[in-house]
Amino acid sequence: MTRERTDDELFRAEGIKLAFGPKLVQQGLDFSIRRGSIFAVMGPSGCGKSTVLKAMVGLLRPAAGIILVDGEDYWAASGARRTEIGRRFGIVFQNGALWSSMTVAENVALPLQMFTELNRDASAALVRLKLAWVGLAHAADVMPSELSGGMRKRAGLARALALDPDVLFLDEPSAGLDPIASKRLDDLIVELRDGLGATVVMVSHELPSLLDICDDGIFLDTETKTAIAHGAPRDLKEISDHPTVQAFMQRERAGEKESAHVQG
Amino acid sequence: MTESRTTPAWRLARTERHVALLTLEGDWLARETGLRDRATVERILGETGDAERLSFNSSGIGDWDSALVVFVKALRDAAPRLNIDASGLPQAASRLLALATEFPERSSATSAAREPLLARVGHRATDRWRGTVAVSALVGETVQRALVALTGRARMRTVDVIDLMREAGAGALGIVAIVNGLVGGILGFVGAVQLRRFGAEIFVADLVGIAMVREMAAVMTAVVMAGRTGGAYAAQLATMQGNEEIDALKALGIPVYDYLVLPRVVALVAMMPFLYIYACAFGLMGGLVVGVATLDLSPAAYLVETREGLNGTQFAFGLVKVLAFGALVALAGCHIGLSAGRSAADVGRAATSAVVAGIIGVIALDGIFAVCADALGI
């Protein structure tokens, strides 16, 4: 939209440490996200990508470190202020997390009913638009249980778009989708980013979409429990010399690469 | 967002013979300046008259969001004859407008049209019949599998049964004690008030004893278990249904009855007699406390009278009932859980109807037992 599309920083994390009680998930994370970029949180399964996302959207308080949203310390803010900041976020959960007792249209309409003064007709028009964007205009009155996995994800996306978010967080958007559906979803994300002028943060380990659409990111490691690379996935593929990153990007097993080194 | 917003404004002008130009100004923000309604859209379309093309000038527009896209989409949808030229809109807006049209609307409209009354009545009736058949099948299957289980050949995990027994048995001790102790005490009060008038205070012991052992201990325990355990079974199985856990069991060829229903029925039925005896003890104790406190009876006299009033048949009758109640509650819970839908609301509904079905079933069954006992002279 007409929000300034300058390359300034929207989001900044400094020295983030995440832990569940004594169990450390990630530590020492420093990164910043530029306005209008598509930022990837990458890494092997189980490295804590989704946990990092949860901390960014305010579902999990980091054990240490600060998160700045537009220069404002998110976790130091009052509860009411946090809710206000959070309203600028749209979150798409891994399996859609649609409310199972409402139709798809009602799912998208709920944020509008809760946070805006719009009347029924106006919010219905907005809901139709959002559903049309994700290609689900025909499925407005269907219950979530009747949707396929891909449709559920797109419905989750429509719900996340309900309030025209500034930042769109996606947890594993293309996991479990066939390559064509996954490509279509990627295109849609880019299209929405360009149209809405939003910033996109996605957690993913799907190489094709990482390489295709992301223009920045961090790579989390399971063993050292911290970020081992920063940058756009396609650059990391070319320039990173870290064996784990290379193995991930080239789809090899880390062990093979190392043993190759030993032999060479 | 403290900056002041200007309300959206528009001006329609004819540039060429068949071209209308809509100039847009102001801030088009859904949350702050709202949406244009249908009447506005139609008024604008009315003003376009016989124009064939509608183009836009948005050079003076302020901030905008979906509100603008909804507005242009509404213009386009309301007047298919009009050729909408979106090139004058902000570039991002025309992309979003295009996105809203790009996906072909495959009509897999699953929402079925409303059926006529007769069809609905018919469907309801056949649904009910199917429900009855399903319940009978569940009862039959359970009896059949229980017989197999007695020979030790059912694929039921002992660990599950022990866990479920602990949950349904030891876990319920507190509430069973409280409920039955209070019921015993209340019966004691009722008896005391009436019997004192005849100088037959001592018969409070008989009244409480017989009422608890024959009826109340069994019914109250079963009602408590319907609320506590029957509801839990239904909620558990309905949630498993929603997570496709039951599909996974079926796909692996693990019989759902052996694995899920049988352990629950066995555990509850096995625990019921113990809970019943325990409930009787607390009921009699409640009566004793009230009798001693309000009627000047000595505890020894009360106990002797209770022993004289009760006999083995009363206990046997109570035990038989409580076994039937346990089976009924567990089967109702499992059946309702297994036939639940897959949404969160369905889980809630399953738990509710399991509790309701359990309580009504227990009381109805108790009525049948009472009639039978009367006919048999027990």
Side-chain angles (χ1 to χ4, degrees):
Chain A
M1 334 232 125
T2 20
R3 291 166 196 140
E4 302 79 357
R5 286 285 300 280
T6 49
D7 269 357
D8 61 345
E9 169 182 285
L10 174 74
F11 206 96
R12 181 175 193 82
E14 287 172 9
I16 295 296
K17 176 184 170 189
L18 297 166
F20 293 110
K23 189 177 164 281
L24 178 70
V25 180
Q26 284 284 327
Q27 63 181 347
L29 299 183
D30 295 294
F31 57 89
S32 73
I33 300 176
R34 285 191 316 277
R35 215 177 284 277
S37 62
I38 299 186
F39 187 92
V41 180
M42 301 165 267
S45 302
C47 69
K49 298 186 295 286
S50 297
T51 314
V52 170
L53 190 81
K54 282 204 172 110
M56 290 165 83
V57 300
L59 288 173
L60 179 80
R61 186 186 279 272
I66 51 174
I67 288 175
L68 301 171
V69 182
D70 260 338
E72 189 176 351
D73 188 339
Y74 181 82
W75 286 104
S78 68
R81 178 73 192 131
R82 280 211 297 275
T83 317
E84 210 169 296
I85 300 173
R87 221 169 287 165
R88 296 171 52 196
F89 298 164
I91 304 156
V92 185
F93 292 92
Q94 214 172 99
N95 293 311
L98 298 171
W99 297 302
S100 54
S101 48
M102 298 181 203
T103 64
V104 170
E106 284 166 347
N107 262 280
V108 182
L110 187 71
L112 293 168
Q113 287 163 4
M114 301 302 281
F115 297 123
T116 68
E117 309 280 294
L118 296 171
N119 63 23
R120 191 175 289 269
D121 281 348
S123 68
L126 279 174
V127 168
R128 273 198 304 276
L129 176 72
K130 308 291 149 105
L131 286 176
W133 282 350
V134 300
L136 284 179
H138 61 282
D141 296 323
V142 168
M143 297 305 283
S145 55
E146 296 166 46
L147 296 179
S148 70
M151 288 164 90
R152 217 169 291 176
K153 255 173 214 179
R154 281 188 279 138
L157 180 58
R159 185 178 71 186
L161 293 171
L163 293 172
D164 285 319
D166 292 342
V167 196
L168 192 58
F169 292 92
L170 301 132
D171 194 359
E172 305 271 5
S174 40
L177 298 186
D178 66 78
I180 299 167
S182 162
K183 177 80 174 73
R184 262 181 62 183
L185 190 66
D186 286 351
D187 292 347
L188 181 62
I189 292 168
V190 173
E191 201 62 37
L192 288 169
R193 189 268 308 257
D194 293 345
L196 294 166
T199 309
V200 178
V201 179
M202 57 189 264
V203 161
S204 180
H205 51 212
E206 297 281 317
L207 268 187
S209 49
L210 285 173
L211 295 173
D212 240 24
I213 65 172
C214 296
D215 37 33
D216 198 359
I218 53 169
F219 192 100
L220 305 179
D221 186 33
T222 320
E223 272 148 45
T224 54
K225 299 199 182 301
T226 189
I228 50 173
H230 293 77
R234 59 184 91 86
D235 297 339
L236 290 183
K237 185 178 183 181
E238 301 301 321
I239 58 169
S240 174
D241 49 8
H242 195 291
T244 312
V245 178
Q246 270 308 313
F248 183 92
M249 291 296 174
Q250 310 291 349
R251 303 193 63 173
E252 287 169 10
R253 270 185 291 161
E256 285 170 14
K257 193 86 180 174
E258 270 154 32
S259 62
H261 273 296
V262 174
Q263 281 163 8
Chain B
M1 313 269 158
T2 45
E3 50 194 303
S4 62
R5 300 294 187 192
T6 51
T7 30
W10 53 88
R11 232 177 20 250
L12 196 70
R14 275 317 224 341
T15 44
E16 291 158 46
R17 199 164 128 54
H18 293 298
V19 182
L21 178 72
L22 192 61
T23 307
L24 303 174
E25 277 161 2
D27 296 311
W28 296 68
L29 295 169
R31 244 194 287 175
E32 291 167 52
T33 53
L35 260 65
R36 303 316 108 207
D37 59 8
R38 191 181 298 268
T40 313
V41 168
E42 304 215 315
R43 202 168 60 238
I44 292 171
L45 287 174
E47 284 174 35
T48 58
D50 63 345
E52 282 164 11
R53 200 150 69 96
L54 181 65
S55 51
F56 296 89
N57 173 9
S58 62
S59 52
I61 203 166
D63 279 355
W64 59 270
D65 67 3
S66 305
L68 177 67
V69 187
V70 166
F71 172 69
V72 182
K73 186 167 174 281
L75 285 173
R76 191 191 61 193
D77 292 349
R81 63 173 176 89
L82 209 59
N83 185 359
I84 302 275
D85 173 16
S87 61
L89 289 172
Q91 205 193 349
S94 56
R95 288 180 88 143
L96 289 175
L97 185 68
L99 192 61
T101 22
E102 229 165 61
F103 285 98
E105 305 212 348
R106 286 162 299 157
S107 61
S108 64
T110 18
S111 50
R114 209 170 148 74
E115 291 171 303
L117 180 70
L118 202 60
R120 265 183 291 150
V121 171
H123 279 304
R124 281 278 172 80
T126 47
D127 281 352
R128 276 291 146 81
W129 173 245
R130 235 176 282 138
T132 316
V133 170
V135 172
S136 320
L138 188 71
V139 173
E141 193 120 8
T142 308
V143 170
Q144 207 181 5
R145 301 307 303 182
L147 292 178
V148 176
L150 284 179
T151 64
R153 279 187 292 120
R155 269 171 290 177
M156 176 168 77
R157 297 198 313 166
T158 333
V159 195
D160 289 344
V161 182
I162 290 171
D163 274 350
L164 288 162
M165 276 182 174
R166 191 172 46 218
E167 182 51 38
L173 289 179
I175 186 171
V176 168
I178 293 170
V179 168
N180 285 286
L182 287 174
V183 168
I186 292 163
L187 285 173
F189 272 118
V190 173
V193 173
Q194 300 303 319
L195 293 171
R196 194 185 278 152
R197 293 203 235 163
F198 308 102
E201 285 96 336
I202 191 66
F203 289 107
V204 166
D206 296 70
L207 183 128
V208 172
I210 294 174
M212 283 313 294
V213 170
R214 258 186 95 105
E215 294 291 338
M216 296 316 282
V219 171
M220 291 318 290
T221 308
V223 166
V224 166
M225 297 318 278
R228 212 183 157 274
T229 309
Y233 287 174
Q236 242 171 18
L237 298 189
T239 309
M240 290 181 78
Q241 185 86 267
N243 287 341
E244 299 186 320
E245 290 173 49
I246 290 179
D247 294 343
L249 286 174
K250 283 184 187 156
L252 274 173
I254 297 173
V256 174
Y257 292 101
D258 284 19
Y259 187 77
L260 293 174
V261 179
L262 198 54
R264 284 175 171 74
V265 176
V266 167
L268 191 58
V269 169
M271 285 298 108
M272 282 309 264
F274 296 107
L275 288 171
Y276 163 71
I277 304 279
Y278 177 80
C280 287
F282 272 87
L284 296 179
M285 210 132 66
L288 175 74
V289 170
V290 170
V292 170
T294 64
L295 295 172
D296 293 334
L297 298 172
S298 78
Y302 187 97
L303 286 177
V304 169
E305 185 60 33
T306 304
R307 273 203 69 165
E308 301 222 324
L310 292 174
N311 56 37
T313 324
Q314 319 266 17
F315 273 106
F317 186 49
L319 271 176
V320 169
K321 286 210 287 198
V322 92
L323 288 172
F325 293 163
L328 177 104
V329 166
L331 281 170
C334 292
H335 167 70
I336 291 169
L338 284 174
S339 50
R342 288 171 184 251
S343 79
D346 288 327
V347 175
R349 229 171 282 140
T352 311
S353 48
V355 173
V356 171
I359 292 175
I360 293 178
V362 162
I363 291 172
L365 200 56
D366 192 50
I368 297 172
F369 270 114
V371 172
C372 292
D374 185 50
L376 293 170
I378 298 170

